[in-house]
Amino acid sequence: MKRLLLAVVLLAAGCGVPVDDEPRDLDRPRTSVSSAPVPDRFGSALERVYLVRDGALVRVVRRVPVAPSAQQMLADLLAGPSSAEQRDGFTSALTTTRIGGMTITQHRATVAVAEPSEYGGRTDEMLAYGQIVCTLTSQGAEVGTVQFTSGGSPLSVPRGDGSLSTGPLTIADYADLLTS
């Protein structure tokens, strides 16, 4: 047994690892790990917006330079489909919708809708509100529910099944309008 132990010690001494006279702290390797996606020429983050095609809500994934905030997602949604998305048949039901602002408190987005124009009557309000709710709640944990107000009061908006709600909404409220 002593011979085996001596052989192991001699073998370890011969492997090039220097032996210190006293214990010492080893330096930790200086590495950094980032959870950010690797950038590429198309954008390093994904943005999910819901657009309209053939009377249904469709999730469209866009590559963007950085992960968008809820405010940026709403602005991008209100800007409408890109030229390429339009060529693919996507439209928006938000063309006459005027948003006065948005606040987020405890994962609830409150979207202030400006007074509708007397000439702006639409039959696609379910799709319009669905686009906003689905887009804001699809990106992650920042927004879990969406509520709408007008003039500081809760606004009654249509769900995907046609019923009206003044309460907080989720993507599940528009499941009837979603396509894969």
Side-chain angles (χ1 to χ4, degrees):
M1 181 75 165
K2 288 182 182 180
R3 286 185 182 173
L4 180 61
L5 184 58
L6 181 63
V8 170
V9 169
L10 289 174
L11 220 87
C15 73
V17 176
V19 178
D20 293 334
D21 292 333
E22 22 183 282
R24 68 179 173 96
D25 289 331
L26 297 176
D27 293 331
R28 290 199 170 146
R30 290 178 169 48
T31 60
S32 64
V33 177
S34 171
S35 62
V38 177
D40 65 23
R41 64 186 186 127
F42 299 109
S44 60
L46 300 177
E47 176 182 53
R48 294 165 193 87
V49 296
Y50 281 77
L51 298 173
V52 177
R53 183 168 54 188
D54 299 327
L57 296 174
V58 181
R59 182 178 71 178
V60 175
V61 179
R62 298 172 173 171
R63 285 223 180 252
V64 293
V66 295
S69 67
Q71 298 283 350
Q72 184 62 51
M73 290 171 54
L74 182 59
D76 291 347
L77 181 64
L78 292 171
S82 68
S83 298
E85 292 163 346
Q86 288 176 15
R87 284 191 297 274
D88 287 339
F90 291 104
T91 62
S92 177
L94 295 167
T95 55
T96 61
T97 303
R98 296 183 338 201
I99 302 297
M102 178 176 68
T103 59
I104 300 172
T105 305
Q106 297 181 350
H107 306 290
R108 176 175 296 157
T110 301
V111 179
V113 178
E115 293 296 322
S117 165
E118 60 185 74
Y119 303 108
R122 290 193 323 254
T123 58
D124 58 356
E125 282 186 327
M126 281 188 290
L127 291 169
Y129 289 109
Q131 278 185 264
I132 295 171
V133 171
C134 295
T135 296
L136 292 176
T137 60
S138 71
Q139 196 68 21
E142 186 178 1
V143 175
T145 61
V146 179
Q147 188 168 8
F148 294 92
T149 62
S150 182
S153 299
L155 181 64
S156 186
V157 299
R159 293 182 184 146
D161 63 5
S163 65
L164 297 176
S165 174
T166 57
L169 301 164
T170 68
I171 197 168
D173 290 300
Y174 296 92
D176 297 342
L177 301 175
L178 296 171
T179 64
S180 52

